[in-house]
Amino acid sequence: MFITRGTRHDRDDLREFYEKEQWSPEGVDVTSGTAFLARDGRIVGALRLLEIDPQTIVVDDVLVASDRRGAGIGAQIMQAAMNSRGGTLYLCCHEERLRFYGDLGFGEVDPESLPPAVLEYFKKQGDYPSRPDHVHFFLKAR
């Protein structure tokens, strides 16, 4: 397996990956941000980094293929992406992912303390405010 930055030539494969994994493909804009791809012949993991403001980056659409989860691919692709950029990283996740991201150096933050551009991004994505039946946690690293 190897990890690379995605290019415009990877967009169809990335769309297909998100669709196959039923990851809200209509809500994922594979043309924005910088994609990082884990490949083992096919894409087995992906994420996107979006620079919202200078040195303010949102980590979005982190996904590992359902048949490859638990093999450390998510941590490897996150580390590659985190090592590629400076600045402060933000993301939102569900409760079951808090430990995973915590192990990578992310800590929980109150959404009201997020930079306005980041909060606006999460609002636009439908992640904030959380619904009582679908709670999101907001995290920051660096």
Side-chain angles (χ1 to χ4, degrees):
M1 183 196 72
F2 63 95
I3 297 171
T4 62
R5 289 178 91 153
T7 70
R8 62 186 170 86
H9 302 291
D10 295 309
R11 289 178 183 161
D12 289 340
D13 289 346
L14 188 54
R15 256 188 226 97
E16 183 180 306
F17 171 69
Y18 285 127
E19 287 173 8
K20 181 179 183 251
E21 295 299 323
Q22 300 176 349
W23 186 263
S24 183
E26 68 281 349
V28 177
D29 177 7
V30 299
T31 64
S32 67
T34 303
F36 284 81
L37 310 173
R39 287 187 177 272
D40 191 3
R42 63 185 172 100
I43 295 176
V44 295
L47 66 79
R48 291 180 313 124
L49 297 181
L50 300 129
E51 189 165 17
I52 303 298
D53 269 340
Q55 298 296 304
T56 305
I57 298 157
V58 171
V59 181
D60 209 357
D61 300 316
V62 179
L63 184 64
V64 173
S66 56
D67 64 337
R68 298 294 295 271
R69 292 182 187 148
I73 294 170
Q76 289 178 49
I77 197 168
M78 281 292 299
Q79 284 288 257
M82 291 172 74
N83 291 339
S84 78
R85 299 291 302 265
T88 305
L89 302 167
Y90 297 91
L91 61 82
C92 95
C93 69
H94 298 117
E95 185 172 17
E96 65 271 10
R97 296 276 125 232
L98 288 173
R99 182 170 179 208
F100 170 78
Y101 290 117
D103 289 347
L104 291 166
F106 284 84
E108 193 173 347
V109 294
D110 183 285
E112 297 301 323
S113 71
L114 294 170
V118 173
L119 186 59
E120 193 56 38
Y121 178 81
F122 288 135
K123 285 179 180 178
K124 186 177 102 182
Q125 298 297 49
D127 296 328
Y128 182 81
S130 290
R131 298 186 326 254
D133 64 331
H134 193 96
V135 177
H136 290 115
F137 294 83
F138 299 90
L139 308 178
K140 170 184 169 181
R142 300 196 289 234

